Amino acid sequence: MKYRQLTKEQFESLNEEFARFLATQSIDVKEWNQIKKEKPTVADDEMNVFSDVVWDDVLSKTNYVEHFSKTSANLFKCEAKEMHRIAIKINTDINLLEQAGFEWLLKNPLDSSVEIFKGSKAYNLERNLEIFDLIEKGSNISKGEIFEYFNGLIS
């Protein structure tokens, strides 16, 4: 397995897509229920393959990822060959996880208590695996507005 199996909730939200996936393998609902009951490892394998297909599709379309903590933000732009990172550290009593703290940062990005670092690196692993690793560590896929805002400020 390349990534991880989708959660029960993710499978439920992709119910139709999973049914089509099984249909491409000539597995109907009746047969699927039988496989789950009599051959749970085969069912698990099918779910793993489907999960990898879904993850690959999502990650291939992902261009930005971000991770916030109370005093820092890590913003990533994921291009084909390299990843760009903007790291922001707040050295004051501001909580970026709260709306007021986040808004303060947007209004005061050049305040003396704000440190901003920028860097780029080529991927060590396959692009999608590195993005997946960031997501597994708590990052979220984003549209990139925050990255581009700060990139415009420091470029």
Side-chain angles (χ1 to χ4, degrees), residues 76-85 118-127 129-131 133-134:
F76 301 91
K77 182 175 184 178
C78 311
E79 295 184 334
K81 301 276 186 216
E82 65 182 356
M83 182 180 292
H84 307 284
R85 176 183 179 197
K118 183 178 178 183
S120 299
K121 74 169 192 78
Y123 297 107
N124 294 324
L125 305 170
E126 181 186 323
R127 174 190 183 274
L129 286 172
E130 290 202 31
I131 297 170
D133 185 54
L134 289 171

Side-chain angles (χ1 to χ4, degrees), residues 114-149:
V114 177
E115 295 179 66
I116 302 175
F117 306 95
K118 183 178 178 183
S120 299
K121 74 169 192 78
Y123 297 107
N124 294 324
L125 305 170
E126 181 186 323
R127 174 190 183 274
N128 288 359
L129 286 172
E130 290 202 31
I131 297 170
F132 179 77
D133 185 54
L134 289 171
I135 292 169
E136 288 294 282
K137 290 176 178 169
S139 294
N140 295 302
I141 296 170
S142 75
K143 293 181 181 171
E145 295 103 332
I146 302 168
F147 180 96
E148 293 302 337
Y149 173 75

Side-chain angles (χ1 to χ4, degrees), residues 4-85:
R4 70 161 165 76
Q5 193 175 90
L6 297 171
T7 64
K8 184 179 185 224
E9 293 79 16
Q10 290 168 325
F11 267 110
E12 287 170 0
S13 70
L14 295 168
N15 189 30
E16 289 179 31
E17 291 83 352
F18 187 56
R20 281 196 293 277
F21 171 79
L22 292 173
T24 63
Q25 298 175 63
S26 303
I27 300 173
D28 61 20
V29 175
K30 183 180 175 186
E31 187 177 355
W32 175 243
N33 288 331
Q34 187 177 351
I35 290 170
K36 286 194 302 185
K37 193 168 154 183
E38 297 173 8
K39 302 175 187 172
T41 56
V42 172
D44 209 39
D45 289 345
E46 290 295 332
M47 293 167 71
N48 289 344
V49 170
F50 179 73
S51 295
D52 279 349
V53 168
V54 169
W55 276 115
D56 253 338
D57 183 52
V58 168
L59 296 168
S60 293
K61 295 174 185 171
T62 298
N63 296 314
Y64 296 92
V65 181
E66 57 193 29
H67 184 272
F68 284 85
S69 71
K70 187 176 176 181
T71 60
S72 67
N74 283 284
L75 313 170
F76 301 91
K77 182 175 184 178
C78 311
E79 295 184 334
K81 301 276 186 216
E82 65 182 356
M83 182 180 292
H84 307 284
R85 176 183 179 197

